[in-house]
């Protein structure tokens, strides 16, 4: 996750109640999505950005996960995500992000 | 009449030592963490010239192997080099680093590139032997410098070193003491873009026999900015390139839109030709020094050689319809509008589905889609996946959503209509344009009936807008416009002229 996004997530976690905050990822690969999920839970694995050593433990989902899909207006989801749902490896991404969430999310 | 693609040239320049001088990944790490494992490992992971000659994606780039044939070769390509591969191809060539430094010196109008005396003398005959340079090109070269003098420039005047296999052979000096836009790092970057473009335009002229005097306008489409502190992007790369290629009748300018620049350039060239403003327009892009070794941290971590050691270039001439060369269908340009939105779906809808629908075409009517053509061997280890494949899957998925392709046939559609990635990750270089040469050849020999080139750009990188960008255009065979039988244009013209003359006489009384 780039420095700017790390700073944004950190600022949001400080401004709002972290328990009520959900990070939605949109990465195209399981590995990079997993790293982003790790960044907003355990902290920046590259130890380079504002979340280095900062364990926010936020709830984190990928936009392709069924829990997110069910929470969206089906028409909007189809319009915005329908194409990418067919393109990306939904299973691998879901599995990776869920693994990180279940292991490291505090909320 | 629709404009045509008169020809294209593509060259790659090997710059392994420049990974550690111009490449931003290395430069940044050197400042932050000069003793890191990455910094220590880089020199041992740089490739030799023979390794880049035998590297499949490079052979495809210069036209020796068609992109469709890439799946026949075993990956990783960097371990399965092509035996007996040649650095020359029908589109251009692979240029070794010593000659890159030579053309860098040739492109220097302000005495900023200094080469070591013996090295400078050694490369002259090699450059002449390429057939692209003559003795008079070197007339302005002063005698080269001593290594001590070069070392002094680097140590005391912030010059950037030019190394060959780790040995110092020259430097690039700053063009101003204080101006940040004219520091040696920036001058090296801009001179690399200019010099590599000069070589490729000369290669185009030599390969095609095109008369340089016939080119009337030049559009340069890299992502670099040349200027001083009062106008960092003032320009003009285009004219500086044309000046060294004998394009004496041309003027020109630079078009910028990150990676989508070349597609914008092609569109603008096509429009200028079709409207009769200019007969022949050159669209050109030189190489990017800062992007050398961009993903090298990941390559080193995964035990790979540093594959981003090539500067990519192209030169394409768009000209008046000659009845032979493939045409650009200017009436069906796809564009990412400001109101389009930035989701991949919205982008693909705007760039692919919308122009196809307007042209009354189905997704399957396009033989090949050429979007971002990055070499996957470079991007996959960095977690960015196979970019062209992802683009082709998006196009296939959009076709499924439009009910034009059954979902079960998505994979087959990707195979049949995609183009495997083979371009170096040089920003503007992979974005569709590398395939223009193949599209022209394929259409001329009947292999393709229709090709779509798709340029996409990430504007957020400039921190002025979060908007995305993109332009697409369709290339088709040149079908001669037929006139209905029985109509003689000359007779009609003479009839109209006679009638007007009579009316004028009657009015005169």
């Amino acid at each position: 996750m780039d420095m700017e996004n790390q700073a944004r997530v950190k600022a949001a976690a400080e401004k709002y109640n972290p328990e009520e905050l959900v990070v939605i990822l949109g990465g195209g690969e399981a590995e990079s999505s997993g790293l982003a999920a790790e960044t907003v839970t355990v902290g920046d694995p590259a130890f380079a950005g504002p979340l280095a050593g900062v364990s926010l433990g936020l709830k984190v989902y990928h936009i392709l996960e069924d829990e997110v899909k069910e929470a969206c207006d089906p028409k909007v989801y189809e319009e915005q995500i329908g194409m990418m749902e067919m393109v990306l490896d939904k299973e691998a991404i879901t599995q990776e992000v869920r693994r990180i969430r279940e292991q490291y999310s505090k909320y | 009449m629709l404009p045509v693609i008169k020809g294209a040239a593509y060259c790659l320049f090997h710059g392994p030592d420049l990974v550690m001088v111009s490449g931003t990944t290395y430069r940044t790490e050197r400042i932050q963490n000069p003793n890191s494992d990455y910094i220590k490992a880089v020199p041992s992971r740089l490739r030799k010239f023979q390794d880049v000659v035998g590297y499949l994606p490079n052979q495809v780039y210069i036209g020796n192997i068609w992109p469709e044939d890439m799946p026949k070769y075993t990956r990783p390509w960097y371990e399965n080099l092509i035996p007996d591969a040649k650095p020359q191809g029908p589109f251009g060539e692979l240029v070794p680093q010593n000659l890159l430094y030579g053309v860098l010196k040739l492109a220097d109008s302000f005495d900023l590139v200094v080469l070591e005396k013996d090295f400078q003398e050694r490369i002259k005959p090699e450059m002449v032997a390429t057939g692209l340079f003559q003795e008079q090109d070197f007339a302005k070269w002063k005698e080269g410098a001593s290594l001590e003098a070069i070392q002094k420039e680097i140590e005391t005047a912030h010059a950037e070193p030019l190394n060959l296999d780790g040995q110092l052979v020259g430097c690039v000096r700053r063009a101003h003491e204080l101006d940040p836009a004219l520091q040696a790092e920036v001058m090296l970057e801009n001179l690399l873009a200019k010099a590599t473009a000069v070589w490729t335009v000369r290669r185009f002229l030599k390969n095609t026999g095109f008369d340089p005097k016939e080119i009337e306008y030049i559009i340069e489409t890299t992502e670099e900015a040349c200027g001083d502190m009062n106008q960092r992007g003032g320009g003009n790369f285009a004219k500086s390139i044309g000046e060294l290629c004998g394009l004496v009748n041309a003027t020109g300018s630079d078009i910028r839109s990150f990676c989508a620049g070349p597609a914008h350039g092609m569109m603008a060239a096509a429009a200028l030709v079709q409207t009769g403003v200019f007969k022949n327009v050159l669209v050109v892009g030189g190489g990017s020094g800062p992007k050398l070794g961009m993903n090298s941290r990941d390559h080193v971590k995964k035990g790979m050689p540093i594959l981003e050691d090539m500067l990519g270039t192209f030169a394409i001439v768009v000209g008046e319809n000659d009845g032979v060369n493939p045409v650009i269908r200017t009436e069906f340009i796809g564009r990412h509008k400001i109101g389009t939105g930035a989701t991949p779906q919205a982008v693909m809808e705007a760039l692919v589905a919308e122009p196809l629908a307007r042209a009354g075409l189905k997704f399957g009517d396009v033989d090949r889609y050429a979007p971002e053509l990055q070499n996957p061997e470079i991007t996959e280890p960095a977690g960015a996946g196979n970019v062209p494949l992802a683009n082709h899957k998006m196009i296939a998925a959009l076709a499924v959503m439009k009910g034009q392709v059954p979902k079960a046939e998505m994979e087959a559609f990707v195979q049949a209509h995609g183009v495997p990635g083979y371009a170096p990750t040089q920003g503007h270089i992979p974005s569709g344009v590398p395939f223009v040469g193949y599209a022209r050849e394929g259409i001329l020999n009947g292999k393709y009936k229709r090709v779509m080139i798709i340029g996409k750009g990430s504007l957020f990188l400039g921190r002025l807008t979060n908007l995305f960008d993109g332009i697409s255009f369709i290339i088709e065979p040149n079908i001669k416009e037929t006139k209905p039988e029985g109509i003689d244009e000359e007779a009609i013209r003479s009839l109209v002229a006679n009638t007007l003359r009579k009316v004028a006489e009657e009015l005169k009384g």
Side-chain angles (χ1 to χ4, degrees):
Chain A
M1 185 179 280
D2 69 23
M3 309 292 155
E4 203 179 320
N5 282 340
Q6 287 193 34
R8 280 183 189 172
V9 173
K10 191 167 180 244
E14 283 161 2
K15 189 174 175 187
Y16 305 104
N17 179 4
E19 206 170 328
E20 293 171 5
L21 204 62
V22 179
V23 181
I24 309 282
L25 304 173
E29 298 283 320
E31 189 187 342
S32 56
S33 300
L35 289 172
E38 210 176 317
T39 307
V40 299
T41 51
V42 200
D44 181 7
F47 279 93
L51 292 178
V54 181
S55 299
L56 295 177
L58 299 174
K59 274 187 286 233
V60 57
Y61 288 85
H62 194 280
I63 188 77
L64 292 184
E65 288 190 75
D66 289 336
E67 292 92 325
V68 183
K69 189 177 180 179
E70 282 156 19
C72 292
D73 179 330
K75 198 167 162 262
V76 174
Y77 196 87
E78 179 68 7
E79 262 172 29
Q80 303 282 324
I81 312 294
M83 182 188 80
M84 292 312 287
E85 200 180 11
M86 275 191 261
V87 170
L88 299 177
D89 189 344
K90 178 175 171 168
E91 204 184 313
I93 291 172
T94 300
Q95 214 172 8
E96 182 64 5
V97 175
R98 188 186 294 137
R99 184 180 71 79
I100 303 285
R101 181 174 62 245
E102 286 174 358
Q103 204 173 344
Y104 300 118
S105 280
K106 293 179 196 164
Y107 309 104
Chain B
M1 297 265 274
L2 291 170
V4 301
I5 295 163
K6 293 211 163 173
Y10 298 94
C11 295
L12 293 172
F13 298 76
H14 192 213
D17 290 274
L18 290 169
V19 170
M20 297 184 287
V21 178
S22 195
T24 51
T25 299
Y26 185 92
R27 287 183 80 100
T28 312
E29 180 76 0
R30 195 179 55 193
I31 294 165
Q32 289 182 324
N33 200 358
N35 297 315
S36 73
D37 291 343
Y38 161 76
I39 292 283
K40 287 178 199 154
V42 167
S44 65
R45 300 294 177 83
L46 297 171
R47 294 190 292 183
K48 299 284 179 209
F49 187 61
Q50 63 264 31
D51 296 339
V52 305
V53 172
Y55 188 53
L56 176 68
N58 295 347
Q59 286 293 316
V60 177
Y61 195 84
I62 59 170
N64 281 335
I65 296 167
W66 281 73
E68 290 95 326
D69 292 332
M70 291 180 79
K72 293 178 196 162
Y73 292 81
T74 312
R75 281 184 69 177
W77 298 315
Y78 61 82
E79 281 181 1
N80 294 281
L81 300 177
I82 299 164
D84 307 322
K86 302 272 184 302
Q88 289 82 27
F91 293 152
E93 67 239 85
L94 306 169
V95 181
Q97 195 172 234
N98 61 337
L99 299 191
L100 168 61
Y101 291 161
V103 75
L104 194 69
K105 171 83 184 157
L106 208 81
D108 168 29
S109 306
F110 283 84
D111 202 18
L112 302 174
V113 178
V114 182
L115 297 181
E116 192 274 325
K117 206 161 67 177
D118 294 340
F119 173 74
Q120 184 171 299
E121 287 311 307
R122 273 201 311 275
I123 55 170
K124 259 196 224 175
E126 281 193 57
M127 291 187 69
V128 172
T130 63
L132 302 181
F133 307 95
Q134 288 80 43
E135 274 300 329
Q136 69 252 33
D137 285 316
F138 307 100
K140 286 183 186 164
W141 281 23
K142 294 175 190 159
E143 193 183 346
S146 69
L147 270 183
E148 293 72 34
I150 293 168
Q151 196 69 50
K152 198 175 166 198
E153 288 279 1
I154 295 165
E155 284 165 10
T156 63
H158 303 282
E160 292 290 345
L162 296 175
N163 298 314
L164 193 67
D165 298 327
Q167 301 297 311
L168 188 67
V169 293
C171 70
V172 176
R173 304 191 302 181
R174 62 187 171 184
H176 193 278
E177 273 187 40
L178 300 172
D179 188 337
L182 295 172
Q183 291 305 298
E185 175 191 352
V186 182
M187 291 317 301
L188 171 59
E189 187 178 317
N190 287 348
L191 283 167
L192 283 171
K194 176 187 171 184
T196 53
V198 165
W199 184 298
T200 304
V201 172
R202 285 185 179 224
R203 171 53 65 200
F204 169 84
L205 296 170
K206 183 152 181 71
N207 280 7
T208 59
F210 202 92
D211 181 357
K213 295 189 184 74
E214 296 281 315
I215 292 172
E216 296 180 338
Y217 201 77
I218 308 160
I219 297 175
E220 196 268 1
T221 62
T222 57
E223 297 165 280
E224 318 303 338
C226 114
D228 66 12
M229 60 183 156
N230 295 312
Q231 54 273 308
R232 268 170 299 181
N236 170 317
F237 281 93
K239 290 188 92 163
S240 79
I241 294 162
E243 181 188 16
L244 292 183
C245 299
L247 311 189
V248 289
N249 290 323
T251 183
S253 62
D254 308 335
I255 282 186
R256 296 287 176 268
S257 190
F258 275 99
C259 310
H264 280 275
M266 289 293 292
M267 176 195 66
L272 288 170
V273 170
Q274 192 172 353
T275 50
V277 177
F278 299 117
K279 288 187 179 69
N280 294 296
V281 178
L282 168 72
V283 185
V284 62
S288 163
K291 292 193 187 77
L292 290 171
M294 198 162 52
N295 294 290
S296 56
R297 202 177 272 121
D298 292 299
H299 295 162
V300 166
K301 209 185 290 171
K302 296 192 174 161
M304 296 167 56
I306 292 170
L307 300 173
E308 289 161 306
D309 54 1
M310 307 303 288
L311 293 151
T313 62
F314 72 92
I316 299 168
V317 167
V318 177
E320 277 185 328
N321 200 315
D322 53 9
V324 179
N325 277 300
V327 297
I328 298 174
R329 295 296 303 267
T330 48
E331 64 282 48
F332 305 123
I333 298 282
R335 70 191 191 278
H336 178 272
K337 301 175 194 170
I338 288 172
T340 294
T343 63
Q345 196 159 330
V347 172
M348 281 304 190
E349 179 78 37
L351 294 180
V352 181
E354 192 277 334
L356 286 182
R358 201 152 29 92
L361 295 169
K362 301 279 183 207
F363 279 73
D365 292 335
V366 174
D367 293 315
R368 295 284 168 191
Y369 290 91
E372 303 161 287
L373 295 176
Q374 283 93 338
N375 168 5
E377 209 155 81
I378 293 174
T379 54
E380 282 170 349
N386 184 329
V387 180
L389 182 63
N391 273 278
H392 293 127
K393 282 184 179 174
M394 286 185 225
I395 294 167
L398 212 51
V400 171
M401 292 176 82
K402 304 277 176 198
Q404 294 181 24
V405 171
K407 197 174 175 189
E409 287 173 24
M410 252 180 79
E411 186 55 38
F413 184 91
V414 168
Q415 294 306 321
H417 298 271
V419 177
Y422 58 90
T425 47
Q426 288 259 292
H428 58 291
I429 293 298
S431 210
V433 279
F435 198 66
V436 171
Y438 281 111
R440 179 177 171 274
E441 292 288 323
I443 287 173
L444 283 174
N445 68 26
K447 187 174 182 176
Y448 310 134
K449 281 200 283 297
R450 190 172 290 113
V451 170
M452 183 185 270
I453 304 291
I454 305 163
K456 292 160 77 176
S458 302
L459 306 187
F460 69 88
L461 294 167
R463 303 294 193 267
L464 282 186
T465 173
N466 272 312
L467 285 175
F468 200 75
D469 188 42
I471 284 285
S472 69
F473 58 93
I474 294 168
I475 308 174
E476 283 182 6
N478 198 326
I479 296 163
K480 278 183 190 161
E481 286 176 25
T482 50
K483 293 171 204 154
E485 277 179 32
I487 293 181
D488 182 343
E489 274 184 28
E490 197 50 46
I492 294 172
R493 212 172 288 134
S494 141
L495 189 69
V496 171
N498 284 338
T499 312
L500 287 174
R501 208 171 294 126
K502 270 186 201 163
V503 171
E505 277 164 12
E506 278 169 21
L507 284 175
K508 246 195 273 173

